[in-house]
């Protein structure tokens, strides 16, 4: 069964029995306030904003949003710390990245005593939907770990498989990405990929098919596999893509975001609770997509 697309995720969020409290770090942002208001009206969330209270009120007035349906957290010097505290204490079930830098948010998330660590590698998992091809697939790590070790890559696979299962993909096909489909010492990541594939063949990753190294064309397009003579269950049909480093992942995902007819959302995993995690430059639509995606991972 393929991954749920955003229409299915929106329908699932619409059917929630009660709204989920969400704490936004850096809530003084028009797209954050508008997205949370849309989600609140649909019954998805109970929004809690942290940050500069006067600025939040000013922006809400500018975008014609009545803050009566929001909770405004006490004014703290660092809104990330306050937002993480709300999640840590159970007052919120989701954390949302707003108009705040990734280092500032991650400092609060990674705090050993007050943060949201689980001991697992924290990563951004983007859900990408290509409308032309009616295809959805996951991509990681597109936002946090610069150069994952072999052990961290194993944890990235475990995480993305878990996310896929939660999105109703029973046996996800996972592509380990590289610039080539051949193992070569010139690209050390391909050697590690070979080790990960061997682990997969030994049953290290439950209910998943692991293949690699694969270039993007081979992971995505069946005709590329036919032309290059590369077979396998994952070729041309990847449900998830694990990238060798942050550079390749981030460039790929942003290239798709800005040039393709697509919908996408991003969530941090490896944390105690899902974190709605995308760029400060993202739109209201993307923030709403990410909320629907994150809400589904709570189940």
């Amino acid at each position: 069964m393929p991954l749920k697309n955003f229409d299915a995720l929106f329908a699932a969020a619409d059917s929630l029995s009660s709204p989920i409290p969400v704490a936004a770090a850096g809530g003084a942002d028009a797209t954050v306030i508008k997205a949370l208001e849309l989600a609140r009206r649909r019954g998805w969330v109970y929004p809690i904003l942290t940050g500069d209270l006067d600025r939040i009120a000013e922006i809400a007035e500018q975008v014609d949003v009545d803050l009566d349906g929001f909770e405004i957290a006490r004014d703290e010097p660092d809104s990330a710390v306050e937002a993480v505290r709300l999640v840590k204490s159970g007052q919120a079930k989701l954390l949302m990245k707003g108009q705040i830098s990734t280092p500032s948010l991650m400092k609060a998330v990674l705090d050993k005593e007050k943060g949201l660590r689980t001991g697992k590698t924290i990563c951004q998992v983007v859900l990408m939907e290509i409308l032309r091809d009616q295809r959805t697939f996951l991509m990681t790590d597109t936002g946090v770990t610069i150069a994952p070790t072999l052990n961290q890559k194993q944890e990235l696979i475990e995480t993305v498989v878990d996310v896929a299962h939660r999105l109703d993909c029973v046996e996800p096909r996972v592509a380990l990405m590289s610039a080539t489909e051949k193992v070569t010492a010139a690209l050390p990541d391909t050697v590690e990929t070979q080790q990960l594939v061997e682990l997969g063949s030994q049953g290290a990753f439950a209910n998943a098919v692991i293949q690699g190294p694969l270039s993007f064309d081979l992971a995505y397009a069946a005709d590329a596999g036919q032309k290059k003579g590369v077979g396998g269950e994952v070729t041309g049909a990847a449900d998830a893509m694990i990238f060798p480093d942050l550079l390749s992942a981030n460039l790929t995902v942003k290239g798709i975001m800005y040039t393709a007819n697509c919908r996408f959302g991003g969530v941090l995993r490896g944390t105690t609770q899902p974190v709605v995690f995308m760029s400060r430059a993202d739109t209201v639509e993307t923030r709403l997509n990410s909320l629907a995606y994150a809400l589904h991972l709570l189940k």
Side-chain angles (χ1 to χ4, degrees):
M1 177 178 273
L3 297 163
K4 285 186 178 293
N5 62 18
F6 284 104
D7 286 340
L9 294 179
F10 273 54
D14 285 338
S15 68
L16 288 170
S17 58
S18 59
I20 303 298
V22 177
D29 177 83
T31 60
V32 170
I33 293 171
K34 289 167 72 175
L36 285 171
E37 172 63 1
L38 288 171
R40 185 193 69 79
R41 290 182 182 179
R42 297 181 77 136
W44 297 3
V45 303
Y46 170 66
I48 308 170
L49 299 178
T50 70
D52 185 323
L53 305 188
D54 291 337
R55 184 64 180 147
I56 288 171
E58 180 183 342
I59 292 172
E61 184 176 2
Q62 290 172 358
V63 297
D64 198 26
V65 171
D66 187 342
L67 291 176
D68 283 350
F70 289 63
E71 181 178 331
I72 310 299
R74 55 189 175 145
D75 194 8
E76 290 286 332
D78 189 330
S79 67
V81 170
E82 175 63 7
V84 168
R85 184 193 70 79
L86 290 166
V87 176
K88 182 81 170 179
S89 68
Q91 293 170 261
K93 297 297 183 184
L94 291 178
L95 176 65
M96 180 177 185
K97 180 179 183 287
Q99 194 59 230
I100 190 168
S101 69
T102 295
S104 295
L105 183 68
M106 293 308 299
K107 181 180 179 182
V109 167
L110 292 172
D111 187 281
K112 290 183 179 180
E113 294 182 1
K114 301 177 181 179
L116 306 177
R117 287 172 175 261
T118 63
K120 293 286 188 179
T121 302
I122 294 176
C123 58
Q124 182 190 36
V125 184
V126 165
L127 176 62
M128 178 64 66
E129 179 180 359
I130 306 297
L131 299 173
R132 181 195 67 183
D133 301 329
Q134 297 184 327
R135 279 279 303 276
T136 54
F137 54 95
L138 299 166
M139 308 170 77
T140 199
D141 176 13
T142 52
V144 180
T145 306
I146 296 172
T149 63
L150 180 63
N151 183 63
Q152 286 175 322
K153 287 177 182 177
Q154 183 172 344
E155 291 187 349
L156 293 180
I157 296 171
E158 292 167 353
T159 294
V160 85
V161 168
D162 176 69
V163 171
H165 288 162
R166 290 171 185 267
L167 295 175
D168 294 348
C169 184
V170 178
E171 190 175 37
R173 294 160 292 199
V174 180
L176 306 183
M177 308 297 286
S178 188
T180 179
E181 72 277 11
K182 296 179 180 179
V183 176
T184 170
L187 288 171
D189 67 272
T190 62
V191 178
E192 289 192 345
T193 290
Q194 186 177 40
Q195 294 174 270
L196 292 166
V197 170
E198 289 174 3
L199 283 173
S201 68
Q202 295 164 13
F205 311 111
N207 298 319
V209 179
I210 313 297
Q211 186 178 337
L214 288 174
S215 53
F216 187 89
D217 56 338
L218 289 171
Y220 187 80
D223 62 337
Q226 294 164 4
K227 291 172 182 176
K228 291 185 176 181
V230 178
E233 291 183 63
V234 183
T235 300
D239 298 302
M241 301 178 185
I242 308 287
F243 288 83
D245 52 40
L246 180 60
L247 177 63
S248 59
N250 194 267
L251 289 174
T252 302
V253 76
K254 287 187 176 175
I256 297 172
M257 287 174 180
Y258 283 93
T259 61
N261 182 18
C262 63
R263 295 191 288 187
F264 51 89
V267 173
L268 284 191
R269 292 276 58 203
T271 49
T272 57
Q273 296 290 96
V275 179
V276 178
F277 188 87
M278 291 299 291
S279 168
R280 285 172 288 171
D282 280 319
T283 63
V284 172
E285 179 187 16
T286 298
R287 295 192 189 281
L288 203 59
N289 289 345
S290 300
L291 275 168
Y293 172 27
L295 287 167
H296 203 74
L297 298 184
L298 284 173
K299 296 182 178 181

